[in-house]
mmCIF file of all heavy atoms in Angstrom:
data_model
loop_
_atom_site.group_PDB
_atom_site.id
_atom_site.type_symbol
_atom_site.label_atom_id
_atom_site.label_comp_id
_atom_site.label_asym_id
_atom_site.label_seq_id
_atom_site.Cartn_x
_atom_site.Cartn_y
_atom_site.Cartn_z
ATOM 1 N N ALA T 287 -12.221 14.469 -16.068
ATOM 2 C CA ALA T 287 -11.548 13.170 -15.771
ATOM 3 C C ALA T 287 -10.656 12.766 -16.882
ATOM 4 O O ALA T 287 -9.520 12.275 -16.734
ATOM 5 C CB ALA T 287 -12.668 12.095 -15.592
ATOM 6 N N GLN T 288 -11.098 12.963 -18.142
ATOM 7 C CA GLN T 288 -10.283 12.656 -19.296
ATOM 8 C C GLN T 288 -9.022 13.526 -19.314
ATOM 9 O O GLN T 288 -7.925 13.128 -19.659
ATOM 10 C CB GLN T 288 -10.996 12.930 -20.560
ATOM 11 C CG GLN T 288 -12.024 11.784 -20.826
ATOM 12 C CD GLN T 288 -12.305 11.763 -22.273
ATOM 13 O OE1 GLN T 288 -12.618 12.826 -22.897
ATOM 14 N NE2 GLN T 288 -12.214 10.560 -22.876
ATOM 15 N N ARG T 289 -9.204 14.765 -18.996
ATOM 16 C CA ARG T 289 -8.041 15.717 -18.964
ATOM 17 C C ARG T 289 -6.974 15.282 -17.980
ATOM 18 O O ARG T 289 -5.819 15.273 -18.242
ATOM 19 C CB ARG T 289 -8.489 17.150 -18.637
ATOM 20 C CG ARG T 289 -8.328 18.024 -19.810
ATOM 21 C CD ARG T 289 -8.579 19.518 -19.484
ATOM 22 N NE ARG T 289 -9.351 19.840 -18.327
ATOM 23 C CZ ARG T 289 -10.696 20.024 -18.364
ATOM 24 N NH1 ARG T 289 -11.422 19.893 -19.414
ATOM 25 N NH2 ARG T 289 -11.323 20.338 -17.190
ATOM 26 N N LEU T 290 -7.452 14.857 -16.798
ATOM 27 C CA LEU T 290 -6.545 14.382 -15.803
ATOM 28 C C LEU T 290 -5.734 13.141 -16.270
ATOM 29 O O LEU T 290 -4.614 12.943 -15.943
ATOM 30 C CB LEU T 290 -7.230 14.081 -14.502
ATOM 31 C CG LEU T 290 -7.524 15.399 -13.730
ATOM 32 C CD1 LEU T 290 -8.419 15.089 -12.459
ATOM 33 C CD2 LEU T 290 -6.201 15.980 -13.209
ATOM 34 N N MET T 291 -6.435 12.289 -17.009
ATOM 35 C CA MET T 291 -5.761 11.139 -17.640
ATOM 36 C C MET T 291 -4.626 11.531 -18.494
ATOM 37 O O MET T 291 -3.575 11.101 -18.516
ATOM 38 C CB MET T 291 -6.673 10.264 -18.451
ATOM 39 C CG MET T 291 -7.773 9.539 -17.670
ATOM 40 S SD MET T 291 -7.102 8.244 -16.558
ATOM 41 C CE MET T 291 -7.108 6.818 -17.572
ATOM 42 N N ASP T 292 -4.924 12.650 -19.236
ATOM 43 C CA ASP T 292 -3.894 13.198 -20.129
ATOM 44 C C ASP T 292 -2.699 13.813 -19.394
ATOM 45 O O ASP T 292 -1.565 13.688 -19.714
ATOM 46 C CB ASP T 292 -4.439 14.195 -21.146
ATOM 47 C CG ASP T 292 -5.131 13.443 -22.309
ATOM 48 O OD1 ASP T 292 -4.677 12.373 -22.705
ATOM 49 O OD2 ASP T 292 -6.102 14.032 -22.827
ATOM 50 N N PHE T 293 -3.155 14.620 -18.366
ATOM 51 C CA PHE T 293 -2.124 15.288 -17.524
ATOM 52 C C PHE T 293 -1.299 14.399 -16.658
ATOM 53 O O PHE T 293 -0.262 14.742 -16.299
ATOM 54 C CB PHE T 293 -2.808 16.364 -16.636
ATOM 55 C CG PHE T 293 -2.847 17.708 -17.310
ATOM 56 C CD1 PHE T 293 -3.875 17.998 -18.325
ATOM 57 C CD2 PHE T 293 -1.950 18.689 -17.050
ATOM 58 C CE1 PHE T 293 -3.952 19.124 -18.897
ATOM 59 C CE2 PHE T 293 -2.045 19.919 -17.642
ATOM 60 C CZ PHE T 293 -3.043 20.197 -18.601
ATOM 61 N N TRP T 294 -1.871 13.215 -16.352
ATOM 62 C CA TRP T 294 -1.117 12.375 -15.428
ATOM 63 C C TRP T 294 -0.437 11.150 -16.228
ATOM 64 O O TRP T 294 0.758 11.040 -16.155
ATOM 65 C CB TRP T 294 -2.160 11.784 -14.427
ATOM 66 C CG TRP T 294 -1.414 11.198 -13.208
ATOM 67 C CD1 TRP T 294 -1.497 9.909 -12.862
ATOM 68 C CD2 TRP T 294 -0.637 11.919 -12.250
ATOM 69 N NE1 TRP T 294 -0.697 9.728 -11.685
ATOM 70 C CE2 TRP T 294 -0.286 10.969 -11.307
ATOM 71 C CE3 TRP T 294 -0.245 13.151 -12.077
ATOM 72 C CZ2 TRP T 294 0.575 11.250 -10.195
ATOM 73 C CZ3 TRP T 294 0.582 13.542 -10.974
ATOM 74 C CH2 TRP T 294 0.966 12.527 -10.067
ATOM 75 N N LEU T 295 -1.208 10.416 -16.979
ATOM 76 C CA LEU T 295 -0.669 9.269 -17.680
ATOM 77 C C LEU T 295 -0.105 9.751 -19.037
ATOM 78 O O LEU T 295 1.023 9.378 -19.406
ATOM 79 C CB LEU T 295 -1.754 8.231 -17.966
ATOM 80 C CG LEU T 295 -2.082 7.194 -17.000
ATOM 81 C CD1 LEU T 295 -3.057 6.239 -17.585
ATOM 82 C CD2 LEU T 295 -0.881 6.539 -16.398
ATOM 83 N N GLY T 296 -0.861 10.535 -19.733
ATOM 84 C CA GLY T 296 -0.477 11.004 -21.090
ATOM 85 C C GLY T 296 0.814 11.832 -21.000
ATOM 86 O O GLY T 296 1.599 11.886 -21.942
ATOM 87 N N TRP T 297 1.014 12.533 -19.938
ATOM 88 C CA TRP T 297 2.255 13.327 -19.755
ATOM 89 C C TRP T 297 3.511 12.563 -20.073
ATOM 90 O O TRP T 297 4.387 13.069 -20.586
ATOM 91 C CB TRP T 297 2.224 13.804 -18.229
ATOM 92 C CG TRP T 297 3.119 14.889 -17.829
ATOM 93 C CD1 TRP T 297 3.894 15.636 -18.609
ATOM 94 C CD2 TRP T 297 3.287 15.380 -16.456
ATOM 95 N NE1 TRP T 297 4.604 16.613 -17.788
ATOM 96 C CE2 TRP T 297 4.222 16.407 -16.527
ATOM 97 C CE3 TRP T 297 2.758 14.969 -15.249
ATOM 98 C CZ2 TRP T 297 4.593 17.087 -15.344
ATOM 99 C CZ3 TRP T 297 3.129 15.702 -14.072
ATOM 100 C CH2 TRP T 297 4.070 16.725 -14.180
ATOM 101 N N ILE T 298 3.450 11.222 -19.667
ATOM 102 C CA ILE T 298 4.583 10.350 -19.963
ATOM 103 C C ILE T 298 4.338 9.509 -21.144
ATOM 104 O O ILE T 298 5.159 9.342 -22.028
ATOM 105 C CB ILE T 298 4.833 9.526 -18.723
ATOM 106 C CG1 ILE T 298 5.389 10.406 -17.546
ATOM 107 C CG2 ILE T 298 5.913 8.438 -19.066
ATOM 108 C CD1 ILE T 298 5.614 9.703 -16.303
ATOM 109 N N GLU T 300 2.208 9.669 -23.787
ATOM 110 C CA GLU T 300 2.152 10.274 -25.133
ATOM 111 C C GLU T 300 3.545 10.482 -25.706
ATOM 112 O O GLU T 300 3.761 10.043 -26.868
ATOM 113 C CB GLU T 300 1.368 11.567 -25.121
ATOM 114 C CG GLU T 300 -0.145 11.444 -24.889
ATOM 115 C CD GLU T 300 -0.914 10.939 -26.086
ATOM 116 O OE1 GLU T 300 -0.668 11.358 -27.250
ATOM 117 O OE2 GLU T 300 -1.878 10.182 -25.805
ATOM 118 N N PRO T 308 0.644 15.378 -24.711
ATOM 119 C CA PRO T 308 -0.770 15.434 -25.195
ATOM 120 C C PRO T 308 -1.129 16.827 -25.653
ATOM 121 O O PRO T 308 -0.741 17.775 -25.016
ATOM 122 C CB PRO T 308 -1.572 15.065 -23.995
ATOM 123 C CG PRO T 308 -0.682 14.393 -23.016
ATOM 124 C CD PRO T 308 0.717 14.882 -23.320
ATOM 125 N N GLN T 309 -1.914 16.850 -26.662
ATOM 126 C CA GLN T 309 -2.334 18.142 -27.272
ATOM 127 C C GLN T 309 -2.926 19.072 -26.266
ATOM 128 O O GLN T 309 -2.727 20.202 -26.163
ATOM 129 C CB GLN T 309 -3.247 17.816 -28.405
ATOM 130 C CG GLN T 309 -3.224 18.834 -29.512
ATOM 131 C CD GLN T 309 -4.442 19.712 -29.412
ATOM 132 O OE1 GLN T 309 -5.489 19.218 -28.926
ATOM 133 N NE2 GLN T 309 -4.349 20.943 -29.901
ATOM 134 N N ILE T 310 -3.784 18.486 -25.385
ATOM 135 C CA ILE T 310 -4.518 19.313 -24.336
ATOM 136 C C ILE T 310 -3.506 19.952 -23.419
ATOM 137 O O ILE T 310 -3.697 21.105 -22.911
ATOM 138 C CB ILE T 310 -5.551 18.496 -23.634
ATOM 139 C CG1 ILE T 310 -6.439 19.386 -22.707
ATOM 140 C CG2 ILE T 310 -4.985 17.348 -22.812
ATOM 141 C CD1 ILE T 310 -7.410 20.193 -23.410
ATOM 142 N N MET T 311 -2.380 19.254 -23.120
ATOM 143 C CA MET T 311 -1.419 19.846 -22.183
ATOM 144 C C MET T 311 -0.757 21.022 -22.928
ATOM 145 O O MET T 311 -0.483 21.990 -22.305
ATOM 146 C CB MET T 311 -0.338 18.805 -21.783
ATOM 147 C CG MET T 311 -0.859 17.834 -20.806
ATOM 148 S SD MET T 311 0.547 16.840 -20.167
ATOM 149 C CE MET T 311 1.171 17.884 -18.911
ATOM 150 N N PHE T 401 -7.243 0.701 -20.552
ATOM 151 C CA PHE T 401 -7.104 2.008 -21.193
ATOM 152 C C PHE T 401 -5.673 2.059 -21.896
ATOM 153 O O PHE T 401 -5.548 2.476 -22.993
ATOM 154 C CB PHE T 401 -7.148 3.090 -20.110
ATOM 155 C CG PHE T 401 -6.860 4.468 -20.631
ATOM 156 C CD1 PHE T 401 -7.839 5.247 -21.141
ATOM 157 C CD2 PHE T 401 -5.584 5.036 -20.393
ATOM 158 C CE1 PHE T 401 -7.604 6.568 -21.558
ATOM 159 C CE2 PHE T 401 -5.315 6.354 -20.868
ATOM 160 C CZ PHE T 401 -6.401 7.110 -21.414
ATOM 161 N N LYS T 405 -5.066 2.559 -25.827
ATOM 162 C CA LYS T 405 -4.538 3.816 -26.296
ATOM 163 C C LYS T 405 -3.027 3.838 -26.625
ATOM 164 O O LYS T 405 -2.546 4.630 -27.419
ATOM 165 C CB LYS T 405 -4.818 4.852 -25.207
ATOM 166 C CG LYS T 405 -4.520 6.259 -25.659
ATOM 167 C CD LYS T 405 -5.224 7.436 -24.988
ATOM 168 C CE LYS T 405 -4.907 8.719 -25.528
ATOM 169 N NZ LYS T 405 -5.327 9.835 -24.790
ATOM 170 N N TYR T 406 -2.363 2.963 -25.981
ATOM 171 C CA TYR T 406 -0.888 2.920 -26.137
ATOM 172 C C TYR T 406 -0.324 1.636 -26.665
ATOM 173 O O TYR T 406 0.713 1.085 -26.163
ATOM 174 C CB TYR T 406 -0.241 3.367 -24.859
ATOM 175 C CG TYR T 406 -0.641 4.751 -24.382
ATOM 176 C CD1 TYR T 406 -1.448 4.999 -23.380
ATOM 177 C CD2 TYR T 406 -0.211 5.831 -25.147
ATOM 178 C CE1 TYR T 406 -1.859 6.242 -22.957
ATOM 179 C CE2 TYR T 406 -0.612 7.100 -24.893
ATOM 180 C CZ TYR T 406 -1.424 7.313 -23.757
ATOM 181 O OH TYR T 406 -1.827 8.592 -23.433
#
Side-chain angles (χ1 to χ4, degrees):
Q288 282 205 310
R289 247 189 337 269
L290 280 171
M291 291 295 268
D292 279 329
F293 268 80
W294 196 247
L295 278 187
W297 194 5
I298 292 177
E300 289 283 321
Q309 208 257 332
I310 186 73
M311 285 189 83
F401 177 85
K405 189 156 183 190
Y406 298 109

